[in-house]
Structures are given as C-alpha cells and as structure tokens.
Amino acid sequence: MAEPLLRTLARLRAEILAPDTLVRAVASGRRREGEPRWRRVEIRPVDLKAGRHLQLTAYDATQAHTSNHLFGDEPAAGPAAEALDALLFDEPFGNWHVETTTHTHQLRVTKKGEGLLHSAARKEAVQAERGHDRDKERLLEESDPVFRALGLTDAQGRVKPSRQAKLRQVEEFLRQLDAALSDARSRGALRRPTPEEPLRVVDLGCGNAYLTFAAHRFLTHARGLPVHLVGADVKQQSADHNGEVAASLGVDEQMSFAVGTIGDVVVDPAPDVVLALHACDTATDDALARAVGWQAPVVLAAPCCHHDVAAQLRRAPTPSPYSALTRHGILRERFADTLTDALRASLMRQQGYRVDVVEFVGSEHTPRNTMLRVVRTGSPVRGGSVVSEYDDLVATWQLRPRLAELLEGSGQGSDQGSDQGSSGA
C-alpha cells in the first residue's frame, strides 16, 4: 500500500544507516518531477583505518565517482547520514533497493509521488562484505554453476583463458539488464512478478544462449525473482543443446526453447522483457517490431551489423555537403552503423519508449559494442522535433528503414498509435 514518501524514505534511512547490518543499497530511475544528478548510486559499508564508512559510488553518463563517509559514534547524525540524506531527500530517484543481512527492501515512487515499499525476509541471513580494496563487484560469481555448464569455467570454477572475453560480455550485459529493470520499475512500467505470474522474458535469436542462461540465473538467484524465460532461434540444434543445459542446471521447468524466426515464433503470453543480442542486420528490426507489438515494458537490443542502410547509402546519391562521410568505404560503413541505430532509437521513441543508446562490451564474435536499452513509457510521440528530425533524416538520405516498414505493416506506424499491437504472437 502506498504511503507518504517521506515516511518510507525515513524507514529506508534507518536501514541504510545501520552499519552492522547493511549489505548494499542502490538508487536508480527518476520521478515525474525531475531527473536526479546521477544515473545510479550504489551504497555499501566499508572498513577503513579510520573506522567504518558509508561508501557511495555515483555513476554519471561516462564514469563512476566514489566517496567515503564516516559513520562515527552516532551513525544517524554523522557524516554518513549527511551524505545519505542528500541522496534520499534531495535527489528525485524513483527507485531504491536496499539489502540488509536479514531483509530486502524495494521502494518505488508512484506517479502521485507516494512511496510503495515492499520488504521481505531473507530465507537465510547473509554477511556484508566490507573490504575496501576489492575487485569490481560481480553480479554473478565466477564459480557460479551456470558458467561451468556453459563451458566458461573449469570444474574448479576457474575461468578458462579463452573465455575471459565472453565472461566480461556476460557481466556487462547483466549490469545493463539490471539498470533497465530498475528504470522500468521506477516508472511503473514493469509489474511485480509473482510465482503465479512470473517475469516473462524472451531472447530472440538466442543461439547458444550464454546471455540467456546468465540472465535467468541472475534474475532468479541474485535478485530472487520468479522468472519464465523463452529462448528462440532458427536452429533446432540450438534448441536441443540449450534444453540439455537447462536440464543439467535443473531449470528446465523455468526455461523453454523454441525453433522459429524472430518474426514468426509464438510467445504467449506476451513477454515483459525482450532480448535481442547480436542479431544480424535487420533481425534487430524484427525484434524491435515484435517488442512494440507485445507492448513489452523492457527491451535490450545489441545490433550486430547494419548491411541494409549501408546498401541504401551506396545506391543513393550523397546529399551535399556530406560526400566526405561516404566517399571511403570504411567511413560509409561506420556512418551506416550510427545512422541505423539513430533511426531505430527515434522510431522507438515515437512508439512510446524511452531509449538510451549505451556502450556495450564487444564479444570475441563481433566488434559491435552498441546497445539500445529501451523502457516503455506508454506515451507515443506523434509530432514535434522527434518526428520532424526523423522525417528530415530519412528524406535527406533517401532511406527506407526496415523497422519503419515493419511497424507500418503491423499497424504500428506513427499515425496508428502504439497501443494497437497484439498482446502475443
């Protein structure tokens, strides 16, 4: 039940300023009335020579800023409290996640500006890690059985030298997934899953499903969410292999693998989260169009290549004064990459989504490192600068983006309204 926001923030304040029981806290998302200074802030206790401190790691668009604040003899009134109050009460974060040794607390600020706080006791008490000098916190430990099942680690849980790059890709993907889900929850776009109605995730073009299995393990094990995940791929071999891995991990009742194209695979009921990671060329457009049709709250798409727009650039005369952008083949290809994703981002905004184009670590299979992190707002854009900029861009370069064709063909064009899509395949 929603409560006055200051009351719920005060309750979280007491949990965070308990130096003996705090494990970690995360602030993310935004409220309707404004944007916080930081994209995300992570909080944890650390033990330094001068005593126990509250460590804040604040992330802006490009880097992390870390500061330490002493708890002191009176934790509720010392430097740590002052630093925390500046975040709790001065920054308009829309979502707070707090973990203690015995409980987890999730606060979402509603559209009315009230606090919706959900607290749950842990099945088993945990210990806080308060070391200061440590490696970057992993969302899944290297020794996790999912990595051994995927062949990334050996029987002793050590990363195989040839699989270091893949493990880094998995870790960075999970961070982007975690951030997208936090953003969607803070906006009220994502429902709270239950055992009866678990979080529904689909991975379109999952291949050997490294990221699929990692996502399922992270959401269920690290975040404690009930999840049902569907992986789709055109190869029967992939479905058979992935089904065997799921059975070996004991999650075959929570995961299923379908054979079919992105445009035709049946997913019913409609998913909450759509993944399309390193889908080639216009397969990314197919995935984005399916997500719009499903009205999916969260979409993560990491395009692999952009041949379609590159081919259109080769066929059409280059408008003045941009000849230098397309004269050389390598520059034309890179420009096509940027142009394709810019057009996709604009089209998704017109369909009622917030889009962040972020850097994503590349795998050993491709140098592409761009990800579209998309969260549904439910407010389609029907005019203004977003539409006019898109129209001018495609007219100037004489382009016909594949995603635009798919959206119009399914009745999701800019003049149709994004709420006319089907709720399933």
Side-chain angles (χ1 to χ4, degrees):
M1 182 179 296
E3 302 178 78
L5 181 58
L6 288 179
R7 183 187 302 169
T8 54
L9 290 176
R11 289 163 62 183
L12 284 188
R13 182 182 190 271
E15 298 290 346
I16 298 173
L17 293 177
D20 295 330
T21 58
L22 175 67
V23 175
R24 68 191 289 262
V26 178
S28 61
R30 61 183 293 274
R31 301 178 203 164
R32 300 188 72 178
E33 68 266 23
E35 191 86 28
R37 177 184 179 189
W38 308 107
R39 177 174 57 85
R40 176 184 174 94
V41 178
E42 298 176 0
I43 302 170
R44 72 183 187 98
V46 295
D47 288 335
L48 306 177
K49 290 182 179 180
R52 187 160 296 171
H53 287 63
L54 193 68
Q55 183 176 89
L56 310 182
T57 304
Y59 298 87
D60 58 22
T62 60
Q63 59 184 322
H65 307 264
T66 300
S67 58
N68 298 308
H69 309 272
L70 183 67
F71 275 108
D73 295 333
E74 295 292 337
E82 294 178 6
L84 176 63
D85 289 348
L87 294 174
L88 273 173
F89 303 112
D90 296 340
E91 296 290 345
F93 285 110
N95 194 70
W96 280 86
H97 177 81
V98 179
E99 299 178 20
T100 71
T101 55
T102 59
H103 288 76
T104 61
H105 308 277
Q106 186 73 41
L107 170 65
R108 178 173 67 85
V109 180
T110 69
K111 292 181 179 180
K112 295 181 179 180
E114 296 178 310
L116 194 61
L117 182 62
H118 175 77
S119 300
R122 292 182 179 272
K123 293 181 179 179
E124 296 181 0
V126 300
Q127 291 185 338
E129 170 57 55
R130 302 189 184 98
H132 179 58
D133 296 322
R134 63 171 190 171
D135 295 332
K136 184 178 181 180
E137 181 185 1
R138 291 191 176 277
L139 299 183
L140 284 179
E141 295 296 331
E142 293 179 359
S143 58
D144 195 287
V146 72
F147 295 135
R148 184 167 63 252
L150 294 173
L152 302 185
T153 60
D154 59 23
Q156 287 73 44
R158 297 172 301 198
V159 182
K160 297 177 180 179
S162 62
R163 312 305 281 164
Q164 290 281 359
K166 175 61 73 174
L167 191 65
R168 286 196 296 271
Q169 180 196 32
V170 170
E171 179 72 15
E172 292 307 314
F173 160 69
L174 293 179
R175 294 187 186 280
Q176 295 295 343
L177 175 62
D178 198 28
L181 293 178
S182 294
D183 188 14
R185 283 193 298 266
S186 70
R187 295 172 181 275
L190 190 64
R191 64 185 177 84
R192 182 175 296 280
T194 66
E196 295 75 25
E197 292 289 337
L199 185 74
R200 297 186 291 269
V201 183
V202 63
D203 189 348
L204 299 174
C206 64
N208 286 331
Y210 290 99
L211 300 178
T212 318
F213 281 104
H216 181 271
R217 179 67 174 175
F218 168 70
L219 294 172
T220 57
H221 181 70
R223 291 293 176 257
L225 299 175
V227 175
H228 186 270
L229 194 150
V230 175
D233 200 87
V234 294
K235 297 179 180 179
Q236 182 67 52
Q237 180 183 0
S238 294
D240 293 341
H241 166 77
N242 295 334
E244 292 174 0
V245 174
S248 72
L249 289 168
V251 296
D252 45 318
E253 293 187 358
Q254 303 170 28
M255 303 182 71
S256 59
F257 294 91
V259 178
T261 66
I262 290 176
D264 295 331
V265 66
V266 175
V267 181
D268 187 25
D272 302 296
V273 180
V274 175
L275 309 177
L277 307 167
H278 298 128
C280 187
D281 198 18
T282 56
T284 295
D285 301 304
D286 294 335
L288 293 173
R290 292 302 302 273
V292 171
W294 285 319
Q295 300 181 26
V298 175
V299 188
L300 292 181
C304 176
C305 47
H306 304 75
H307 300 313
D308 184 52
V309 166
Q312 293 186 53
L313 290 177
R314 288 193 297 270
R315 292 193 297 266
T318 301
S320 177
Y322 305 113
S323 297
L325 293 175
T326 60
R327 181 174 296 119
H328 305 283
I330 188 172
L331 295 181
R332 183 176 60 245
E333 294 298 319
R334 290 178 178 175
F335 176 60
D337 293 354
T338 300
L339 188 56
T340 302
D341 288 332
L343 293 170
R344 287 168 173 161
S346 180
L347 285 166
M348 292 301 287
R349 289 180 65 190
Q350 293 177 51
Q351 294 300 319
Y353 286 85
R354 170 180 170 173
V355 183
D356 292 310
V357 183
V358 298
E359 188 176 58
F360 178 53
V361 64
S363 74
E364 65 268 33
H365 305 295
T366 173
R368 310 297 181 183
N369 65 343
T370 298
M371 173 176 280
L372 304 181
R373 193 175 65 209
V374 185
V375 174
R376 181 175 170 81
T377 66
S379 300
V381 178
R382 295 293 177 249
S385 61
V386 172
V387 175
S388 62
E389 287 173 1
Y390 170 83
D391 290 342
D392 290 344
L393 197 57
V394 295
T396 298
W397 290 94
Q398 300 183 41
L399 298 175
R400 185 60 178 163
R402 175 60 177 163
L403 180 57
E405 294 179 341
L406 292 168
L407 293 174
E408 291 178 3
S410 62
Q412 298 288 335
S414 61
D415 60 342
Q416 300 293 327
S418 69
D419 291 334
Q420 296 179 9
S422 63
S423 60

